[in-house]
Amino acid sequence: MSYILQTHRLTKTIGGKYIIEDINLHIKEGEIYGFLGPNGAGKTTVMKMLTNLWKPTTGEIELFGTPLTPQSYDVLKRIGTIIEFPAFYDHMTGYENLKLHCEYMGYYKHGSIENALEMLGLKDAAKKKVKAYSLGMKERLGIARAVLCKPELLILDEPTNGLDPAGMKQIRELLKELSSEYGTTIMLSSHLLSEVESIADTIGIIQHGKLLKEISMAEIEQMNLSYIKVKVSNVKQAAFVLNEKIGTSNFKIFENGEIRIYDSNVPAQELSKMFALNDVEVFALGKKAESLEDYFLKATTEVAE
């Protein structure tokens, strides 16, 4: 298996407290890797270490088959990044900011800046000073800068922040094209799970600084994770019925009174009948297919419990 990015027991402590602990990432060449986790889970911290902004306390990062060190300047030239909010020189134009980036990177391909600006819908704003840009325009400019030098690896922390639905769709299509047409490997974090689900090949789920799961979207789809969703008047009594009358413990209770039953051997008609016989009023009942959001919530809830 060819991995373009790997980490080995990556750990970061601050003031004796574990922020990241024993993270082992495996990102294959050419894939789109969705890095998911609740706010504060450690996504940005990991990305900062992958790009040499922060140094690990222990552990190793391997990029393009080579260990990452403080002197890995040539390796970092092969990467495009957005970590947290992209920063620019506000008194300079969008074009001038990208030109300066090319100088930093030693990249002088004719027409590359114009192409990047056009690709991100910023052609008409190229000569405007960045201080006049909206939040969404700055986010687009950040992505333009990240892809400008044709990197082999993109590391993007919440790349659709501040974008409207049309902008998010444009970025989604761009990332798909970069992966499929140019073989660019992409690692992105996002709190918009539906966006990740539509483009990712693999996902990694992090919580409380630990990697819970690495799994391909194909594996999730093959699980055929369907469930029965039911809302009832008495959750405690419904749980008793499921356990004692129907004989299943394969269900999860949510705070809004919703219960999801993952036992495929339980017919919906039998559920409705048993609830009625045991004085449990059913407000809604139906069969659902599990999405990435469902899978994510299930994985993170299990750990929390």
Side-chain angles (χ1 to χ4, degrees):
M1 185 66 68
S2 177
Y3 294 115
I4 203 167
L5 188 160
Q6 293 186 83
T7 67
H8 308 278
R9 304 199 68 179
L10 190 66
T11 298
K12 180 69 177 179
T13 60
I14 297 177
K17 180 183 177 182
Y18 281 98
I19 308 300
I20 296 297
E21 185 176 1
D22 288 341
I23 296 285
N24 298 305
L25 295 175
H26 307 85
I27 301 180
K28 291 179 283 191
E29 186 174 355
E31 77 170 345
I32 299 178
Y33 185 101
F35 196 38
L36 307 177
N39 289 337
K43 301 185 298 295
T44 298
T45 298
V46 170
M47 289 179 154
K48 284 182 175 180
M49 290 191 285
L50 296 179
T51 53
N52 250 354
L53 294 173
W54 282 11
K55 301 298 182 285
T57 303
T58 59
E60 184 180 81
I61 298 166
E62 191 176 294
L63 289 170
F64 308 107
T66 304
L68 183 68
T69 72
Q71 288 75 43
S72 297
Y73 307 118
D74 289 339
V75 167
L76 292 175
K77 285 185 177 182
R78 299 164 69 182
I79 302 173
T81 66
I82 294 179
I83 306 297
E84 295 186 312
F85 188 74
F88 301 98
Y89 292 104
D90 281 355
H91 65 284
M92 296 170 62
T93 67
Y95 183 95
E96 289 168 341
N97 270 277
L98 296 190
K99 185 177 180 182
L100 183 61
H101 180 69
C102 287
E103 294 285 344
Y104 287 150
M105 300 292 285
Y107 187 83
Y108 303 105
K109 186 174 180 181
H110 180 71
S112 59
I113 297 174
E114 291 83 356
N115 289 340
L117 288 166
E118 186 168 1
M119 193 184 304
L120 273 301
L122 291 170
K123 184 179 178 181
D124 293 339
K127 295 182 179 180
K128 287 184 180 179
K129 292 185 177 181
V130 171
K131 64 184 178 183
Y133 279 27
S134 66
L135 174 63
M137 290 170 70
K138 287 181 180 178
E139 196 68 36
R140 288 171 184 268
L141 188 62
I143 297 171
R145 183 172 62 188
V147 304
L148 174 59
C149 300
K150 297 294 187 292
E152 297 167 60
L153 171 65
L154 274 174
I155 297 177
L156 306 175
D157 186 16
E158 299 282 359
T160 56
N161 259 353
L163 298 182
D164 58 20
M168 288 191 286
K169 181 182 179 185
Q170 182 185 21
I171 300 307
R172 183 170 67 240
E173 296 303 319
L174 172 62
L175 296 180
K176 283 182 180 178
E177 181 181 348
L178 289 171
S179 174
S180 61
E181 299 296 324
Y182 301 97
T184 308
T185 305
I186 300 167
M187 177 189 191
L188 76 152
S189 70
S190 178
H191 65 282
L192 299 172
L193 300 185
S194 59
E195 288 292 305
V196 174
E197 184 173 23
S198 67
I199 64 172
D201 301 298
T202 302
I203 61 163
I205 299 176
I206 184 174
Q207 187 174 33
H208 304 312
K210 295 183 178 181
L211 190 69
L212 305 183
K213 178 79 73 173
E214 273 190 327
I215 187 169
S216 71
M217 287 303 301
E219 287 178 88
I220 292 176
E221 290 167 6
Q222 287 168 8
M223 287 177 185
N224 192 24
L225 295 171
S226 61
Y227 59 91
I228 296 172
K229 176 180 173 180
V230 58
K231 290 198 75 170
V232 296
S233 58
N234 188 329
V235 171
K236 188 175 180 180
Q237 178 67 6
F240 171 80
V241 171
L242 288 168
N243 273 310
E244 302 299 326
K245 303 294 184 180
I246 296 176
T248 182
S249 60
N250 193 10
F251 62 89
K252 187 171 291 295
I253 298 171
F254 293 81
E255 290 181 357
N256 62 355
E258 178 184 311
I259 301 176
R260 294 182 184 179
I261 302 149
Y262 296 93
D263 191 336
S264 59
N265 295 317
V266 178
Q269 187 176 357
E270 177 70 10
L271 272 176
S272 184
K273 177 182 175 182
M274 291 305 296
F275 282 146
L277 289 173
N278 289 274
D279 300 321
V280 177
E281 186 178 359
V282 177
F283 300 131
L285 187 150
K287 195 167 186 178
K288 302 285 184 178
E290 191 165 73
S291 65
L292 175 58
E293 181 177 10
D294 295 318
Y295 182 86
F296 171 81
L297 290 171
K298 188 178 178 184
T300 53
T301 303
E302 285 172 353
V303 171
E305 291 174 350

